[in-house]
Each structure stands twice: as structure tokens, then as C-alpha cells.
Amino acid sequence: MKITVIGPGRWGSLITWYLATRHHDVTLYGQKGTEHIESFLKTRRNSLLTLPDSVEVTTDISLVAPAEVIVISIPSQALQGLFDELKQFDIKNKIFVLCMKGIEISTGRRLSQIAEENLDPSNKIAVWLGPGHVQEFYHGIPNCMVIDSKCDKTKELLVKEFSSNLIRFYYGNDLIGNEIGAAAKNVIGIAAGFLDGIGLSSLKGALMARGTREIARLIASEGGNELSAYGLCHLGDYEATVFSKYSHNRQFGESFVKKEKFESLAEGYYTVQALLKIGEKNKVDLPICEAVYDILFNEEDPVSVLDNLFSRAITNEF
């Protein structure tokens, strides 16, 4: 299978490495002059992994179109801009696989919705979601992930072609729930980092339980299956997001409350804004998301906000 991966960041490069080891013909594309792609062009390496010799590395966006499968792994807020750039090639009859976890702030669109609105109907759209870190996959530590799509044949093809002993894929059956759940877990990751930063890590169990209920309600309000919040897209990704030292969102949250510099991308910073817009539209109570937002954007004291969050009025758990 001929595959182009758009996005040479840590996850895009891992996907490139992984699919090449599955004996696919893989090209990695990145914008000329950016740090990640220039590193691969010069040395075929970044700080985490080395690409197989079989992988073609390019800054020529025209090489994206000939692929059978186009995998996208870029910051979620840049997706519309990428599709604007790809329109010049009139791409048809391809499979687009979205490997990011986010929701567009300005519109509240899920990433598959952005793809649908910008691509010819002959193209199929799928999402690749779930737990795992580059460092662990690259060193042979396995995990489980999910592929979802409105097209069952597309799901079956991708799961067949992408599965291995390193990644066990499940078939998703709730695109709405899986996309919202995957995006929202990054917000929970930031909240977990806040707890670590103020020395209340023991509350992360409660955060996980209440966070899952909160996002389940949000998923249901958008027409998805609230059980998806308990699957691989959300709760199944908590270990990698809420506890792992490799989690950018958790690290960002901890650094934020400690007033330490953190320069890596933390998607939850943007996602929380989009989630609150959806919650307001659907009249869904999102106390954890609101607390994260208040700390990040309203400059409220983290200790006071989190204390108020965990001392809310007593109610039934379910």
C-alpha cells in the first residue's frame, strides 16, 4: 500500500516508522524549513527515532496526491489550512486517516467534519485514535488503538493493513464519541498535571472517574454513544495522558501551575475552549473543563479553583 504521512512531528514520524516496518511504501511530507522535516532530510533522525531507509522524506506537497492512503498528523487547529492547500490537486478516491485529537475552536467542528466539508465525496475518511507514546512503541512496548470511519470497508481495510503485534486495532463504531472523547482526554491530562503541580496527585483517581462521566454527558449531547467515553479513545487513554511522564498535556499542566517554561504542543489548551462552546450550546455541565479554562485563561488561582471543584455540592455519583 502506498501511503503518505503529512506531519513530521513526534506522532507523525512514529506512524511513518511504524507503517514502513509493516512493509508499506511510505512517504513523509513536511513543510520546507521546519525543524522536524529538516532534521529528517539531513540525518533521517529526530530525538526519538530513526526512519527506515525505505521511507522517502519530502517537502514537495505534490507528492501527497499519488498515495492510496493519506495519513494526517498535524496540530488540529491547522487542519483547515492544510485542506485549503490540498485543494489545488483535486484529490479523489483516496483514504484520509486523521491521527490528531482535537476540535476546531472557531467552529466546534470535529476533525472528520472538517475533512468531509473539504474533500471530494469519492474520498473516504477515518480516524486513528487511542493510547500510546512514541518512546514506548519505538522500543517495542505494545498497546491497543481504535480505527473508526463511517465506511465499514474502510475500517476493515485499515485494521487489516495496519495491525501488528505492536498495535492491536479495534473497530470503532461511534465517530462522534470517539472524536470528542479523544480530544477531551487531553483536557483531563492538563487537569492531572495541575494536581501533580500542587501536590494533590492522589486525587487523580477521582479526576478520572468524574472526568469520564463529564465527557460521556458531552458525547451524548452531540448524538454520540456515551459508552465511548469508557473506551480506548478516552478512558483507555488515561494512563498515557494522566500519569505518563511522556504526556505533553500532563507535563504542560504541571509546568503551568509551577510557572515553568513548557514549549511542546499541548492540544488540550485549545480543546478546552471548543468543549466549553459545545457544552454551552447543549447546556451540559462541564465542571472539570470549566476549572481548566479558568486556570489557563482567566488566570485564577489553581489551588482555589481545584479546591472548589472537589468541594462541589454533594450529589449522586450516577
Side-chain angles (χ1 to χ4, degrees):
M1 180 179 285
K2 187 171 180 57
I3 301 170
T4 293
V5 177
I6 299 176
R10 66 172 187 165
W11 186 232
S13 61
L14 184 280
I15 290 171
T16 302
W17 169 84
Y18 173 73
L19 294 176
T21 64
R22 294 284 298 138
H23 308 296
H24 294 297
D25 180 1
V26 185
T27 296
L28 175 62
Y29 163 77
Q31 288 185 324
K32 186 176 181 179
T34 57
E35 178 183 353
H36 295 301
I37 200 68
E38 293 299 330
S39 176
F40 283 122
L41 285 169
K42 291 176 183 176
T43 67
R44 304 192 65 80
R45 300 183 61 185
N46 64 11
S47 61
L48 299 173
L49 56 79
T50 301
L51 294 179
D53 292 337
S54 62
V55 172
E56 180 178 359
V57 181
T58 184
T59 58
D60 183 356
I61 197 170
S62 68
L63 296 182
V64 170
E68 300 167 71
V69 176
I70 299 171
V71 177
I72 302 176
S73 179
I74 63 174
S76 59
Q77 304 306 315
L79 185 59
Q80 180 61 60
L82 172 65
F83 282 127
D84 290 340
E85 193 173 2
L86 292 177
K87 285 177 182 176
Q88 62 183 302
F89 302 110
D90 191 27
I91 298 173
K92 296 180 179 179
N93 300 306
K94 309 293 184 182
I95 297 175
F96 282 79
V97 185
L98 308 177
C99 298
M100 310 97 76
K101 301 166 183 177
I103 297 172
E104 190 174 54
I105 298 172
S106 59
T107 65
R109 290 182 296 175
R110 291 177 286 109
L111 304 187
S112 68
Q113 290 177 308
I114 298 174
E116 283 183 352
E117 292 175 13
N118 285 274
L119 293 172
D120 185 89
S122 66
N123 295 293
K124 304 300 182 185
I125 300 164
V127 296
W128 171 348
L129 305 167
H133 287 294
V134 172
Q135 297 90 333
E136 294 169 343
F137 281 133
Y138 189 60
H139 290 98
I141 300 172
N143 217 320
C144 299
M145 305 190 81
V146 62
I147 288 177
D148 206 347
S149 173
K150 290 182 178 179
C151 176
D152 288 340
K153 288 185 178 180
T154 297
K155 280 191 288 190
E156 292 169 5
L157 173 65
L158 293 175
V159 168
K160 176 185 175 183
E161 294 291 336
F162 290 0
S163 292
S164 71
N165 290 333
L166 187 60
I167 302 179
R168 174 189 172 95
F169 283 100
Y170 285 81
Y171 298 108
N173 54 15
D174 177 24
L175 200 55
I176 293 172
N178 279 319
E179 287 192 271
I180 293 175
K185 66 93 186 179
N186 287 327
V187 177
I188 305 301
I190 291 177
F194 290 161
L195 293 175
D196 286 336
I198 63 174
L200 293 177
S201 301
S202 61
L203 285 175
K204 287 201 279 190
L207 173 70
M208 292 166 63
R210 300 315 304 162
T212 308
R213 287 300 302 139
E214 181 168 319
I215 302 309
R217 294 194 301 269
L218 187 64
I219 288 171
S221 77
E222 281 288 283
N225 183 347
E226 68 176 67
L227 289 177
S228 293
Y230 300 90
L232 289 168
C233 76
H234 190 74
L235 180 60
D237 207 346
Y238 271 11
E239 190 281 331
T241 305
V242 173
F243 295 99
S244 175
K245 64 182 180 180
Y246 301 127
S247 169
H248 278 185
N249 288 281
R250 191 209 61 76
Q251 288 180 321
F252 168 74
E254 182 174 355
S255 297
F256 188 89
V257 297
K258 289 182 175 180
K259 302 186 184 305
E260 297 173 350
K261 194 172 183 180
F262 186 82
E263 296 181 342
S264 298
L265 174 67
E267 283 279 11
Y269 179 86
Y270 305 99
T271 300
V272 69
Q273 301 173 70
L275 294 182
L276 288 177
K277 286 184 179 180
I278 296 172
E280 183 178 3
K281 177 188 71 173
N282 296 339
K283 296 181 172 55
V284 179
D285 187 27
L286 302 173
I288 296 173
C289 292
E290 290 171 0
V292 170
Y293 184 88
D294 284 341
I295 293 169
L296 293 180
F297 296 96
N298 293 333
E299 299 183 358
E300 295 191 16
D301 176 60
V303 175
S304 297
V305 171
L306 294 170
D307 182 63
N308 289 336
L309 176 64
F310 283 94
S311 60
R312 281 163 54 91
I314 297 172
T315 184
N316 292 328
E317 183 178 13
F318 298 105

